[in-house]
Amino acid sequence: MKTLKTLTAALLLSASAASMAQADTIRFWTTEEQPERLAKQQEIADAFKEETGNEVQVIPVTESELGTRATAAFAAGDLPDVIYLTVQYVLPWAEAGILDAEINDEIVNDLGIDTFAPGAIEMAQFEGMTAAVPVDGWTQMIIYRKDLFDEAGLAPPDSYENIAAAIEALHNPPEMYGFVAATKIDENFMSQVLEHVFLANGVTPVDEDGFKPLDEAKTIEVLDFYKTLADASPEGELYWQQSRALYFDGKAAMIIWSPFILDELAGLRDSAPPTINDDPTSTKLAQMTDVVTTFSGPSNPDGAAWADIRYLGVTADATNLDVAADFIKFSMDEGYMNTLSMAPEGKFPVRRGTADEPSKFVDEWATLPVGVDRKAPLADLYPEETVQKIVTGLETANRWGVKEGQLALASKMINSQIINQVVREYIDGEISGEEAVEKLNSELSGIN
């Protein structure tokens, strides 16, 4: 018996050693480098190791340095196995060979391409493949006073026409402004809002070949609409701060903002409390609020949502494709709620569920706590239909230049603030619509 026990122990030891020998270590670059977010990602890595035996080294990379670091690592043949990246890198890196588009496409199909938000998939299309795996994202939103809309019998502000009608009915300064438009030309906030407004009417300054002259008729529709917003706003240089302050004070019917306002609206952040009443922790304003993520212009009935999407991608230098792919699948399935819980108000689930449970991840995401000084799930703060609207913007997610492979050029155009300047000249009555379009085309054509 002693000999049998010894033999059994030796066999077990041998099997354990073989298992250890087969275990692998992969490297994972992430731009989510805040300590609490790194801790969440380490939890995912630890759970993956416990399930598979494979180790993941979580390596923080500053987002502003990601492009140069990846390019240098690619040249040296030293890319990590997996990278968490922003949408602007997906297509250029697929074309350059930094991402392994084939394996990433396989991952998406193994998880079920129909379980992802179509907009996030479309923004990553490269030669018939999904070049990276959509993870999370957020969409810009029209925040509006649903109680006032309901009282006035107004349709939701999901089109130029409906927004203009709501302004006509609700604009009554100084008690209530119909809108708070972004008019401060040196603020990125104005650039972001304007891109959304242009996208809504199907207007873009780029195509597959680079600069594309703006369509005069469609662009004048955009300019006229933005003037309507500006005319319904207070005077002065307006950006995110004034729009939030006026809405929180109950003096704005509509604003455009990111979803990072959602916890503040509900009185969960002491540094930015709602002031509509005397209780800075009140959820009253949140209960009177609804959102629109996709809205349309007269020349684009389907509308669009401005979105920021993040992706996971296996790289060309991955040492073990199977382990890298399994880690991404784990992060998008068993570990998905941990992934989203880093900042639920700004990390919408781009994978909505599984084939068997189509809304599984959206439903679970709605129960994740948001807030800073106090915490509560979005599902406790907003009606179910509002929570659903928050994530449906990912269906029509868009950005200038993504589908055309010209995001870098479009970004230069936006960052030049030329669009802000010309739009401001138009809404101030300094130039005509035709002059504005001509000036935009002249200035934007010189950017490369």
Side-chain angles (χ1 to χ4, degrees):
M1 289 295 293
K2 186 175 181 182
T3 304
L4 183 57
K5 283 183 180 178
T6 304
L7 180 60
T8 302
L11 287 170
L12 287 171
L13 188 62
S14 174
S16 176
S19 176
M20 290 297 288
Q22 290 169 0
D24 209 337
T25 299
I26 62 170
R27 293 180 298 151
F28 168 46
W29 280 8
T30 176
T31 54
E32 298 286 10
E33 57 180 343
Q34 300 94 323
E36 66 277 8
R37 297 190 185 189
L38 279 176
K40 288 279 186 186
Q41 291 165 102
Q42 189 59 53
E43 284 179 26
I44 298 167
D46 292 344
F48 179 70
K49 183 178 180 181
E50 186 174 338
E51 181 168 302
T52 67
N54 297 303
E55 186 171 346
V56 179
Q57 294 178 350
V58 180
I59 303 166
V61 177
T62 301
E63 188 167 315
S64 60
E65 299 173 359
L66 181 62
T68 53
R69 283 194 61 176
T71 302
F74 181 49
D78 191 33
L79 286 166
D81 300 86
V82 177
I83 300 183
Y84 177 75
L85 63 150
T86 51
V87 64
Q88 73 245 41
Y89 293 120
V90 174
L91 298 183
W93 284 4
E95 189 172 1
I98 291 174
L99 293 175
D100 189 328
E102 289 187 15
I103 192 70
N104 293 326
D105 186 62
E106 284 181 24
I107 294 167
V108 167
N109 285 302
D110 287 348
L111 290 169
I113 194 167
D114 292 339
T115 66
F116 289 86
I121 291 291
E122 190 174 348
M123 290 170 82
Q125 287 306 295
F126 172 74
E127 295 183 353
M129 297 177 288
T130 307
V133 183
V135 181
D136 60 74
W138 58 270
T139 53
Q140 198 160 245
M141 303 185 296
I142 296 175
I143 311 286
Y144 73 100
R145 285 285 299 274
K146 187 175 188 299
D147 59 323
L148 301 181
F149 274 66
D150 288 347
E151 286 171 17
L154 294 164
D158 57 6
S159 67
Y160 281 19
E161 183 181 6
N162 288 351
I163 292 168
I167 287 172
E168 180 71 26
L170 301 175
H171 184 57
N172 183 33
E175 288 82 15
M176 179 65 66
Y177 291 95
F179 213 97
V180 186
T183 57
K184 194 171 189 299
I185 62 175
D186 59 350
E187 277 280 338
N188 185 53
F189 180 68
M190 184 175 180
S191 305
Q192 206 164 291
V193 170
L194 277 174
E195 187 182 351
H196 194 176
V197 173
F198 274 81
L199 281 168
N201 203 38
V203 180
T204 175
V206 296
D207 61 17
E208 291 79 2
D209 299 320
F211 167 70
K212 171 189 175 185
L214 296 169
D215 179 279
E216 184 177 279
K218 293 180 182 179
T219 303
I220 289 176
E221 288 174 343
V222 173
L223 294 170
D224 287 345
F225 173 69
Y226 207 75
K227 183 168 172 55
T228 300
L229 302 187
D231 288 346
S233 306
E235 294 184 3
E237 305 286 298
L238 309 173
Y239 58 106
W240 60 264
Q241 191 170 32
Q242 292 86 357
S243 61
R244 181 179 68 181
L246 284 160
Y247 191 84
F248 279 16
D249 207 29
K251 294 180 178 177
M254 294 173 278
I255 62 173
I256 290 183
W257 239 80
S258 80
F260 295 98
I261 201 172
L262 294 171
D263 58 340
E264 301 169 351
L265 257 176
L268 301 178
R269 188 187 294 254
D270 290 341
S271 62
T275 51
I276 196 167
N277 58 26
D278 294 332
D279 180 6
T281 67
S282 170
T283 62
K284 180 181 178 181
L285 187 57
Q287 292 164 2
M288 297 189 296
T289 293
D290 206 348
V291 304
V292 163
T293 54
T294 300
F295 73 103
S296 62
S299 293
N300 185 37
D302 292 337
W306 188 99
D308 184 33
I309 310 289
R310 307 294 170 114
Y311 294 80
L312 283 168
V314 177
T315 75
D317 293 340
T319 53
N320 189 320
L321 289 177
D322 290 339
V323 174
D326 286 346
F327 174 64
I328 291 179
K329 291 176 188 176
F330 185 86
S331 300
M332 296 300 300
D333 199 4
E334 298 99 318
Y336 198 31
M337 283 308 108
N338 242 352
T339 301
L340 301 178
S341 69
M342 287 186 262
E345 69 279 12
K347 288 184 172 293
F348 301 173
V350 297
R351 188 175 186 224
R352 296 162 299 189
T354 65
D356 294 333
E357 299 177 86
S359 66
K360 172 182 170 66
F361 298 129
V362 173
D363 295 341
E364 291 181 4
W365 167 79
T367 69
L368 296 174
V370 300
V372 176
D373 300 289
R374 288 159 296 284
K375 290 187 179 290
L378 286 172
D380 288 357
L381 304 171
Y382 298 94
E384 183 181 349
E385 57 267 27
T386 299
V387 173
Q388 291 297 324
K389 288 176 191 173
I390 289 169
V391 296
T392 53
L394 296 169
E395 306 291 319
T396 55
N398 204 353
R399 290 279 284 281
W400 274 346
V402 172
K403 296 172 186 174
E404 300 86 358
Q406 296 287 350
L407 183 58
L409 175 60
S411 297
K412 288 179 185 177
M413 292 176 175
I414 293 161
N415 294 338
S416 73
Q417 297 178 335
I418 288 167
I419 299 167
N420 298 5
Q421 294 164 17
V422 175
V423 169
R424 183 63 196 261
E425 289 174 17
Y426 175 76
I427 64 178
D428 287 346
E430 297 174 10
I431 56 176
S432 69
E434 291 78 6
E435 289 170 331
V437 177
E438 185 180 351
K439 189 170 183 178
L440 283 168
N441 283 331
S442 174
E443 297 279 352
L444 295 176
S445 65
I447 297 174
N448 49 50

